[in-house]
Amino acid sequence: MNRQPATASRSVVAAVLLAILALAPASRALAAQPAGHASGMGGSAEGLFVAEIVLLLLVGRGLGEIFQRYRQPAIMGQLIGGILLGPSLFGLIWPGAQHMIFSSDPAQKSMIDAVSQLGILLLLLLTGMETDLRLVRRVGAACFSISITGVVVPFVCGFALAQFLPGSLLPDPTQRVVAGLFLGTALSISSVKIVAMVVREMNFMRRNLGQIIISSAIIEDTIGWLIIAVTFGIATNGSLQVLPLITTVAEVALFMVFSFTIGRRLVFTLIRWSNDSFRSEYAVITVILIIMGVMALITNLIGVHTVLGAFVAGILVGESPILSDHIESQLRGVITALFMPVFFGMAGLSADLTVLADPTLALLTLALVVIASIGKFSGAFVGGRFAGMSLKEATAVGSAMNARGSTEVIVASIGLSMNILSHDLFTMIVTMAVITTLAMPPMLRWALGRLPVGNAEKQRVDRELLDERGFVSKLERLLLLVDDSPVGKFTAYLAGLVGGGSGMPTTLLHLEGAELPGPARERGPERASNQVKKGAARSARAVSKAEDTPVDKMHLTARTQLEATTETIAAEARKGYGLLLVGLENALTDNGTFSGTLNDITSGFDGPLCLVLNGAKDTGKMPMLRAGATVLVPVNGTEVARRAADFALALARPHRARVKVLYVSQARKGSPPSSVSHRREEAVLKDVADLADRYGVTVDTAIRARATPDRAIAREAAKGAAMVVMGVTQRPGQELFFGDTATAVLAAVGCPVVLLASERARRSEAQAEEAKAETGA
């Protein structure tokens, strides 16, 4: 038995108890100050506020850690932490200390409530950012069948249950319709975050069923927040009135249409503008929070809850092509670390489990759990069967959809704050959320563990696993620097092939030629931009045809530059780019070294470089990668070589060009090849062949062991290669240098050569020696 989780859990519990014992006397001293201080006119109000925050963070994070170690959602630990700090435990065994820390004074309580309410908006923003509508479109109709029945059946159960609840459980027994809408919504939606946690843990995220489960939860969440928005409008009017209801529904529909048309473009533009224009730190996060606030205000003005605006804002922000993983992780960090424990802790504080000592309330809570579980499971199960799933698959779907978690707690908290739900009914709903959520992970693990994987699905999953190691698939933004020469236009064309199929944001810096007349200089950027757009369109059409999926066009920003220096490139690089592509005339000097201009430009960019260079026998014409053309890629088993193969396959794919993968062995002349070396070479070539299969590109492989790398590459290129793509490593030093092999290839090869260079970094002598042995180094 592994005792580490149990030991760690005991340590966390001990730390939490010590913190409570330490904070209680301090809070009692603060509360002993004059009454004016407690109401906020002195220092004790702020002190109590800080004590509340610290205790909620400590207990929530500590219990969340314990729950996660036992493969349960950390959110449930934070919620239960709040329950334990409330009247259910802390207030039961030490009521004086509990009332001192979590004061019922309105002014004091409003401070922590404000943080909790802001936490609701930020949680909905994060939920929206994690809502992948593209996954919903890719999965197809199955998730809609599951979502519709998975919402309708439990919603009807919850609405009907509200009509039979004792009047004492409702703040206003005449508002059973509104209470029924809230209760029905609380029973019908699932927690995407918790469902995704278990699906990812079981390695089902790429499986067909896993994607259907996640997509169904996304749709249910979206439907749930729309229902909550309409319900808020009904509650605001005080009763169910036809005309105000129609008006509210129409306003919500207009808001959604505006958001996913004009609003989508506005959000994309604002995020990109802030990322590219501001020099201060975290400017993009500030703009995202402003977008969330504005959209929340819009929904508030049309008479629905602000959570709908925050949720939709999150969806639009998450779909922004300029949003990097780094920015998203920064925003997720502050929400997860601060606002999430505070909100769920406050939600737990509002629940009083001591009321369940009443046999009537205990039985009603048990009935609520049974109705919620049966309604949700049966609804999703029936939807899965309608979609043609097997019994095992439908059982897994029903088990997954039964997790309420954070979503249900948010809905119940809104109902409590609007005085639609009583504290007793709120406690019953929170208890039901905790029980169903904690029961879901083991049920889903059991159900998914019984599902075998078919051959076709296994092949698809294996192909997608290759994408995780891919270089091109991880690129988020391209920086393109070209002039009006043939090699510049060719570089723009290649950038379109790489980024056009995925809608990759690209910034085009077009260098004007000083010798060109004015009209030609004015047309230069337009011509270069058109090359990129044409390449992007070709790539998008080809990828769309290969994948049988719609693909967005490249998001292009084109600017004209009189010159490019270290400073201008460095300033542009700060905006966040995954790759710099450079295509300039006369990039090489007569002695084969790189020009001073190219050295100056590349020294301002620390990320990966892609240099497109003329061959030794420059004809002034650049090739088009049509069907039948060959792209030569030398490999040797290093990561930079694999990147080059990935890049070459992305270039070849749109027009079904061929790729020739050449392994140049480093065995000494005259020595017999070892079996170990031979196996290694075959493993490297097989890895590239598997990657080519993912791209749908035809590859030929070859091994050359009786020539130096540069001669072997030159001989193979002379057989009719349209271009050579080489992975190279930047050498330390003031001048741009990639090693003797790269220099010799550039001097010997007559076709265009693309050098895909690693990030600029200082390396040890051992790494430098290893780099000398690289093909293309």
Side-chain angles (χ1 to χ4, degrees):
M1 294 290 291
N2 186 5
R3 298 182 179 180
Q4 184 178 357
T7 303
S9 301
R10 286 195 293 269
S11 301
V12 173
V13 171
V16 170
L17 292 177
L18 287 174
I20 294 175
L21 293 173
L23 286 174
S27 301
R28 180 166 51 193
L30 290 170
Q33 298 294 327
H37 290 252
S39 61
M41 293 185 293
S44 62
E46 289 78 4
L48 283 174
F49 171 71
V50 172
E52 291 170 345
I53 294 290
V54 170
L55 199 54
L56 288 172
L57 291 178
L58 183 61
V59 175
R61 181 58 59 191
L63 291 181
E65 180 70 18
I66 293 174
F67 272 67
Q68 199 157 7
R69 287 174 184 269
Y70 288 96
R71 304 173 71 188
Q72 288 286 350
I75 293 174
M76 287 296 99
Q78 297 166 6
L79 178 62
I80 293 176
I83 294 175
L84 298 180
L85 288 174
S88 304
L89 181 64
F90 190 25
L92 187 65
I93 62 177
W94 198 355
Q98 201 272 341
H99 293 153
M100 290 174 195
I101 298 177
F102 300 100
S103 174
S104 59
D105 179 74
Q108 182 70 46
K109 196 171 185 298
S110 63
M111 298 174 68
I112 192 71
D113 282 342
V115 178
S116 178
Q117 293 301 312
L118 179 59
I120 292 179
L121 296 182
L122 292 173
L123 283 172
L124 266 296
L125 173 71
L126 186 60
T127 301
M129 291 174 63
E130 295 172 345
T131 300
D132 189 356
L133 296 182
R134 291 170 296 184
L135 178 62
V136 176
R137 292 192 292 266
R138 185 165 64 246
V139 168
C143 57
F144 290 97
S145 171
I146 295 168
S147 301
I148 292 173
T149 56
V151 168
V152 170
V153 174
F155 183 88
V156 171
C157 293
F159 186 85
L161 178 62
Q163 311 313 309
F164 297 97
L165 287 175
S168 59
L169 289 178
L170 302 176
D172 186 357
T174 64
Q175 296 293 320
R176 288 186 179 273
V177 172
V178 179
L181 292 175
F182 260 94
L183 189 57
T185 305
L187 267 63
S188 61
I189 55 181
S190 302
S191 175
V192 177
K193 185 183 294 294
I194 295 174
V195 172
M197 179 199 75
V198 180
V199 172
R200 186 180 294 110
E201 175 195 314
M202 296 291 293
N203 293 323
F204 261 74
M205 191 59 78
R206 291 188 179 87
R207 295 278 298 271
N208 296 334
L209 184 62
Q211 294 183 355
I212 290 174
I213 289 174
I214 299 298
S215 300
S216 301
I218 289 172
I219 296 174
E220 289 184 8
D221 248 19
T222 306
I223 294 173
W225 295 120
L226 290 173
I227 296 174
I228 287 297
V230 175
T231 303
F232 183 85
I234 296 173
T236 303
N237 294 324
S239 61
L240 182 58
Q241 301 175 14
V242 177
L243 184 59
L245 177 60
I246 295 175
T247 303
T248 300
V249 172
E251 289 174 339
V252 170
L254 287 174
F255 170 75
M256 298 297 289
V257 171
F258 171 81
S259 298
F260 289 99
T261 53
I262 300 174
R264 185 197 301 268
R265 298 190 186 95
L266 287 175
V267 169
F268 291 179
T269 302
L270 285 172
I271 292 178
R272 185 168 195 162
W273 170 74
S274 62
N275 182 78
D276 294 354
S277 302
F278 288 95
R279 302 291 292 271
S280 56
E281 292 184 333
Y282 311 119
V284 176
I285 293 180
T286 301
V287 171
I288 290 173
L289 295 177
I290 292 173
I291 291 171
M292 178 202 73
V294 170
M295 297 192 73
L297 286 174
I298 292 174
T299 55
N300 184 65
L301 289 174
I302 65 177
V304 298
H305 203 278
T306 53
V307 293
L308 179 63
F311 179 68
V312 174
I315 294 177
L316 299 182
V317 169
E319 290 187 339
S320 174
I322 202 65
L323 187 68
S324 66
D325 291 338
H326 179 62
I327 294 173
E328 188 176 353
S329 64
Q330 289 176 336
L331 186 59
R332 180 182 288 106
V334 68
I335 296 174
T336 304
L338 174 60
F339 290 98
M340 193 176 291
V342 171
F343 167 72
F344 286 110
M346 289 299 296
L349 279 167
S350 301
D352 184 2
L353 297 185
T354 60
V355 302
L356 299 183
D358 184 343
T360 302
L361 289 180
L363 288 175
L364 286 173
T365 303
L366 179 60
L368 181 63
V369 172
V370 172
I371 292 173
S373 300
I374 294 177
K376 191 64 181 177
F377 179 87
S378 60
F381 180 87
V382 170
R385 294 294 286 169
F386 281 156
M389 292 183 175
S390 66
L391 284 173
K392 291 182 178 180
E393 291 173 333
T395 300
V397 170
S399 301
M401 295 298 104
N402 206 28
R404 270 72 176 196
S406 58
T407 309
E408 181 147 3
V409 174
I410 295 174
V411 173
S413 299
I414 294 172
L416 181 64
S417 65
M418 294 172 59
N419 202 35
I420 294 174
L421 304 178
S422 66
H423 277 85
D424 289 349
L425 185 55
F426 173 82
T427 299
M428 293 167 58
I429 294 175
V430 169
T431 303
M432 181 265 291
V434 171
I435 293 174
T436 57
T437 303
L438 294 181
M440 187 280 285
M443 287 178 58
L444 184 56
R445 292 186 189 105
W446 170 80
L448 293 179
R450 301 168 64 228
L451 295 173
V453 57
N455 291 330
E457 186 177 9
K458 185 178 185 304
Q459 291 176 2
R460 179 184 61 79
V461 171
D462 291 342
R463 288 197 303 268
E464 291 181 358
L465 284 173
L466 286 173
D467 286 344
E468 285 191 349
R469 298 179 56 203
F471 173 69
V472 175
S473 62
K474 293 181 180 178
L475 292 176
E476 296 178 342
R477 195 178 186 191
L478 299 179
L479 178 58
L480 176 62
L481 179 65
V482 299
D483 57 15
D484 208 32
S485 65
V487 70
K489 295 178 181 179
F490 182 62
T491 306
Y493 165 71
L494 296 182
L497 297 179
V498 172
S502 60
M504 194 178 299
T506 299
T507 299
L508 167 64
L509 301 180
H510 180 267
L511 296 185
E512 281 190 335
E515 73 283 357
L516 296 176
R521 290 199 301 269
E522 293 175 2
R523 290 194 301 270
E526 181 180 355
R527 288 201 299 269
S529 300
N530 286 337
Q531 290 290 339
V532 177
K533 292 178 181 178
K534 288 178 181 178
R538 294 190 191 103
S539 178
R541 286 195 297 268
V543 173
S544 177
K545 184 177 180 181
E547 295 279 348
D548 195 23
T549 55
V551 180
D552 295 330
K553 291 184 178 180
M554 177 184 291
H555 299 270
L556 177 66
T557 299
R559 294 202 303 270
T560 302
Q561 298 280 126
L562 293 176
E563 62 177 351
T565 64
T566 302
E567 291 74 20
T568 59
I569 295 299
E572 190 69 31
R574 281 194 292 268
K575 300 173 184 178
Y577 294 92
L579 181 67
L580 169 62
L581 295 95
V582 182
L584 300 176
E585 193 173 23
N586 301 321
L588 294 173
T589 62
D590 293 337
N591 60 4
T593 61
F594 295 104
S595 66
T597 301
L598 190 61
N599 274 286
D600 193 30
I601 289 172
T602 56
S603 63
F605 191 85
D606 291 332
L609 298 175
C610 179
L611 305 181
V612 182
L613 304 163
N614 287 319
K617 302 174 183 178
D618 180 22
T619 62
K621 296 181 180 180
M622 294 292 118
M624 298 292 288
L625 296 181
R626 305 186 186 280
T630 300
V631 180
L632 178 62
V633 186
V635 297
N636 61 356
T638 59
E639 183 60 31
V640 291
R642 192 182 192 279
R643 281 188 181 186
D646 187 32
F647 193 78
L649 292 169
L651 295 177
R653 177 181 186 174
H655 299 294
R656 294 294 186 267
R658 301 177 68 87
V659 173
K660 181 66 174 291
V661 184
L662 176 67
Y663 193 107
V664 182
S665 175
Q666 297 296 318
R668 294 181 178 179
K669 188 174 181 180
S671 62
S674 65
S675 59
V676 175
S677 175
H678 189 62
R679 287 199 300 268
R680 180 177 181 272
E681 293 161 357
E682 289 183 343
V684 170
L685 294 177
K686 184 181 185 303
D687 179 57
V688 178
D690 291 341
L691 189 63
D693 183 59
R694 170 71 184 100
Y695 277 98
V697 175
T698 302
V699 295
D700 300 317
T701 59
I703 299 175
R704 298 290 181 265
R706 297 186 177 275
T708 59
D710 56 297
R711 291 182 180 178
I713 295 169
R715 289 174 184 172
E716 201 65 42
K719 297 179 181 179
M723 61 186 295
V724 177
V725 179
M726 298 176 59
V728 295
T729 301
Q730 297 191 60
R731 300 290 198 269
Q734 297 296 324
E735 294 186 354
L736 198 62
F737 182 61
F738 301 114
D740 295 333
T741 300
T743 303
V745 169
L746 288 171
V749 173
C751 59
V753 178
V754 176
L755 299 181
L756 190 65
S758 61
E759 295 86 346
R760 183 184 298 273
R762 296 185 179 275
R763 293 165 295 122
S764 64
E765 293 183 3
Q767 289 173 313
E769 289 298 324
E770 179 185 352
K772 290 181 181 180
E774 293 177 1
T775 300

